[in-house]
Amino acid sequence: MSKKVVIAFEGIEGSGKTFHINYVSNYLEKKKIDHIKLREPGGSKNSEKIRKLILNKKSNFNKNTDLLLYLSSRSENIEYIKKFYKKKIILLDRFTDSTIAYQHYGMGVNLTILKKINNYLLKNFKVDFTFLYIVNKKNMKKRLQQRKSLNRYDKFNDKFYKKVQNGFLKIAKEKKRVYQIIDSNLSIKLNKKIIINKLNKIIK
Ligand code: TMP
């Protein structure tokens, strides 16, 4: 029997988290270990509608509206996620740390209000473990160039992404929760090995 943990995958654009969450999900599937995988913003049906609105290239919401939209997307997801809490492994492609890193550290939104609404939505739900992906400027740009289409949040300047990445690292340092930092500039093969080793320890 595996432990029914909640694992978040966090990091800036081009840091490889989505690639690795898919790899982990396939690995669990092969082992016939029950799990769900969800992205944020998006994931559930209503949340995907909100995702389209936030990330549309033509949208130009202010930072507070963005915060409320990301939290609205979470509000729609959390109901769904909670059904599986402690029943299945839950893999999250971004969660609360992204809101703190992008909206607070990146855009300067007030942290108290962000945490208040976020905690109100989450109640006693918590993430057990986080893989935090870091990437350098050169590799991030290279990976973004390979994308077929870029959304509104793929187009900020380097300074912004640096602030966000440093924000993620600050959160990881402050929190008591367990983090594993993955250096996405290293080889995929090596990182896959590190992640699966860690995963097996977490779910044992
Ligand atoms: P994705 O490219 O990983 O799918 O994420 C979409 C964008 O949404 C990404 O640039 C990060 C951003 N985001 C926030 O700014 N705040 C949040 O709370 C979340 C979940 C994502």
Side-chain angles (χ1 to χ4, degrees):
M1 267 274 279
S2 56
K3 272 196 208 153
K4 311 301 180 216
V5 289
V6 181
I7 308 174
F9 293 70
E10 297 277 12
I12 60 168
E13 334 331 82
S15 63
K17 65 185 169 44
T18 304
F19 174 85
H20 284 286
I21 196 174
N22 290 335
Y23 181 73
V24 166
S25 176
N26 288 337
Y27 174 85
L28 292 174
E29 217 165 290
K30 273 190 207 140
K31 298 236 161 204
K32 301 201 177 352
I33 300 176
D34 243 4
H35 67 283
I36 63 159
K37 177 177 72 106
L38 214 82
R39 70 172 174 180
E40 280 214 345
S44 66
K45 204 172 154 197
N46 283 339
S47 188
E48 283 295 332
K49 287 185 194 165
I50 301 169
R51 179 186 174 96
K52 276 198 188 123
L53 191 65
I54 312 174
L55 298 179
N56 190 306
K57 277 182 253 179
K58 289 182 189 149
S59 293
N60 65 344
F61 302 118
N62 70 44
K63 60 185 184 182
N64 290 324
T65 310
D66 267 11
L67 168 73
L68 294 169
L69 286 171
Y70 281 113
L71 292 170
S72 307
S73 140
R74 185 155 306 140
S75 166
E76 286 298 323
N77 275 345
I78 200 76
E79 257 180 83
Y80 172 77
I81 297 172
K82 275 185 178 168
K83 286 185 204 152
F84 300 99
Y85 192 37
K86 301 202 189 287
K87 294 191 183 97
K88 287 185 183 188
I89 292 173
I90 300 173
L91 306 177
L92 299 170
D93 187 342
R94 296 194 182 282
F95 203 55
T96 300
D97 289 357
S98 277
T99 320
I100 299 174
Y102 282 81
Q103 275 63 55
H104 172 64
Y105 286 110
M107 295 178 167
V109 172
N110 180 283
L111 188 59
T112 310
I113 192 76
L114 185 166
K115 283 190 173 169
K116 239 182 198 154
I117 307 174
N118 190 64
N119 292 344
Y120 173 75
L121 295 174
L122 263 53
K123 304 255 175 359
N124 58 355
F125 178 88
K126 67 174 189 58
V127 173
D128 298 296
F129 190 89
T130 303
F131 286 109
L132 171 58
Y133 292 78
I134 55 159
V135 63
N136 63 28
K137 197 165 92 181
K138 190 174 140 221
N139 284 333
M140 179 191 81
K141 282 195 164 163
K142 204 165 100 189
R143 289 174 194 165
L144 281 180
Q145 273 164 9
Q146 285 162 359
R147 291 198 180 165
K148 280 188 215 113
S149 69
L150 296 179
N151 68 42
R152 181 176 155 234
Y153 265 64
D154 289 329
K155 293 179 169 182
F156 290 114
N157 61 31
D158 297 343
K159 225 170 113 189
F160 176 79
Y161 292 116
K162 197 169 176 203
K163 273 199 280 186
V164 175
Q165 182 154 281
N166 286 339
F168 273 121
L169 288 166
K170 268 190 212 155
I171 303 166
K173 243 184 176 174
E174 285 162 10
K175 289 264 176 78
K176 290 181 200 99
R177 172 155 56 89
V178 201
Y179 280 81
Q180 165 104 35
I181 293 172
I182 302 292
D183 183 351
S184 182
N185 305 301
L186 304 177
S187 88
I188 291 181
K189 200 174 156 195
L190 174 69
N191 280 336
K192 276 182 179 171
K193 221 170 153 183
I194 295 173
I195 292 158
I196 296 300
N197 274 342
K198 197 73 194 181
L199 175 76
N200 282 322
K201 282 186 191 141
I202 305 166
I203 65 174
K204 202 163 106 186

